[in-house]
Amino acid sequence: MLWDADSARRYDEWAESPKGNFALRRQEELLQRLLACWPRQRQKFLDIGCGTGIFLEFFWSCGFDVSGLDKSPDMLSRTREKMGDRAHLHLGEAGHLPFDDREFDYTSLMTVLEFVDDPALVLREAARVSRKGVLITFLNRFSLYRLSVRLSGRKSALSQARWFGWPEMRGLIHRNVHPGHMTARSVLPGPPMTWKPLPGLRYVNGLELFPWCGAVTAVRADLVSPAARTPLMAWNTEPT
């Protein structure tokens, strides 16, 4: 799949749309809860397949020392505009990472496995360069979101993506990452037409559900056991 300047522009336009922004905020809320036990200060974090830097910026706001890698120069150009000198950016392939073993404390694959030829290889590479943990998000094949994409009949990146079911993804992670501990939750159980900031819809689509329920599932795979237990949250504004 070609990720050119037009693809990068359309992705950022979706992220800035009311529906896209709503979906991203619900994912960030879930990630905040999942990552609460990971230490942040002086922790090196690599976002593999960082795209236009939307989640890279989120990880930076959480307090990690962030780096991003993507195979698309056009995607990285948009990331550079967003991040400036707050992140180290690398051009490269997710299946052949140009880093030493255990070079980073944590790595992430944010809706990346859907668009690669060999998801198992990409997972092994993410685990190879990580010391403490790997964060994965994926699109749930059995969600109402997937059904809406199929019923729309439109040809898009999502219609061509490889969506995963939870049993398949759990098996992939166990075989290729070998986590000592794994936690998975999902959000956005409703179809896209319900992704609106109305009180009831916001509540339902923000619920932290079993990994097979929502449109997007997030998995925290801890490589060290036991997992850290000191909660640490990050705020975008001053706490009240």
Side-chain angles (χ1 to χ4, degrees):
M1 190 174 296
L2 179 64
W3 298 105
D4 55 13
D6 186 57
S7 299
R9 175 187 57 78
R10 284 188 281 107
Y11 183 74
D12 273 350
E13 286 177 353
W14 175 83
E16 293 166 3
S17 71
K19 189 179 297 182
N21 182 266
F22 179 89
L24 289 171
R25 297 294 83 78
R26 304 294 78 73
Q27 291 178 62
E28 288 179 356
E29 291 168 1
L30 172 61
L31 294 175
Q32 284 280 19
R33 293 189 288 271
L34 275 185
L35 301 182
C37 64
W38 280 3
R40 318 291 176 85
Q41 190 174 15
R42 293 188 296 275
Q43 300 297 299
K44 296 175 65 178
F45 193 111
L46 173 66
D47 187 19
I48 303 166
C50 64
T52 63
I54 290 173
F55 284 105
L56 191 64
E57 192 164 29
F58 166 75
F59 294 131
W60 177 85
S61 74
C62 289
F64 294 106
D65 294 337
V66 296
S67 298
L69 175 138
D70 203 278
K71 69 176 183 179
S72 168
D74 294 308
M75 292 283 190
L76 286 178
S77 177
R78 283 188 172 257
T79 302
R80 191 170 290 107
E81 292 176 7
K82 291 186 179 86
M83 297 299 297
D85 60 359
R86 294 179 294 167
H88 301 286
L89 301 180
H90 306 268
L91 184 67
E93 291 280 348
H96 302 281
L97 297 177
F99 306 112
D100 293 333
D101 293 356
R102 298 165 59 85
E103 185 168 338
F104 296 89
D105 295 289
Y106 303 104
T107 57
S108 64
L109 294 161
M110 308 300 293
T111 321
V112 170
L113 299 175
E114 290 83 348
F115 302 101
V116 299
D117 294 330
D118 191 342
L121 174 62
V122 171
L123 281 168
R124 289 195 297 272
E125 278 291 274
R128 178 184 66 81
V129 303
S130 179
R131 294 177 55 239
K132 299 178 181 178
V134 181
L135 176 68
I136 301 136
T137 63
F138 67 92
L139 299 173
N140 177 17
R141 178 186 301 161
F142 303 108
S143 64
L144 293 177
Y145 184 30
R146 169 60 169 159
L147 180 61
S148 71
V149 170
R150 294 187 66 181
L151 292 177
S152 73
R154 293 193 301 268
K155 187 175 181 180
S156 65
L158 288 177
S159 67
Q160 300 174 63
R162 175 181 177 178
W163 297 56
F164 294 90
W166 170 235
E168 179 185 9
M169 179 57 69
R170 181 176 55 193
L172 276 170
I173 294 172
H174 274 299
R175 290 191 300 272
N176 297 283
V177 178
H178 307 294
H181 176 80
M182 188 163 66
T183 301
R185 297 289 186 271
S186 68
V187 288
L188 300 168
M193 68 178 66
T194 68
W195 296 358
K196 299 176 182 179
L198 300 176
L201 296 179
R202 187 191 185 286
Y203 172 77
V204 170
N205 281 297
L207 288 172
E208 187 177 307
L209 304 168
F210 293 115
W212 54 85
C213 296
V216 179
T217 300
V219 187
R220 191 191 76 229
D222 295 300
L223 302 181
V224 292
S225 187
R229 295 300 180 190
T230 303
L232 178 62
M233 302 297 286
W235 286 267
N236 291 325
T237 58
E238 287 296 321
T240 57

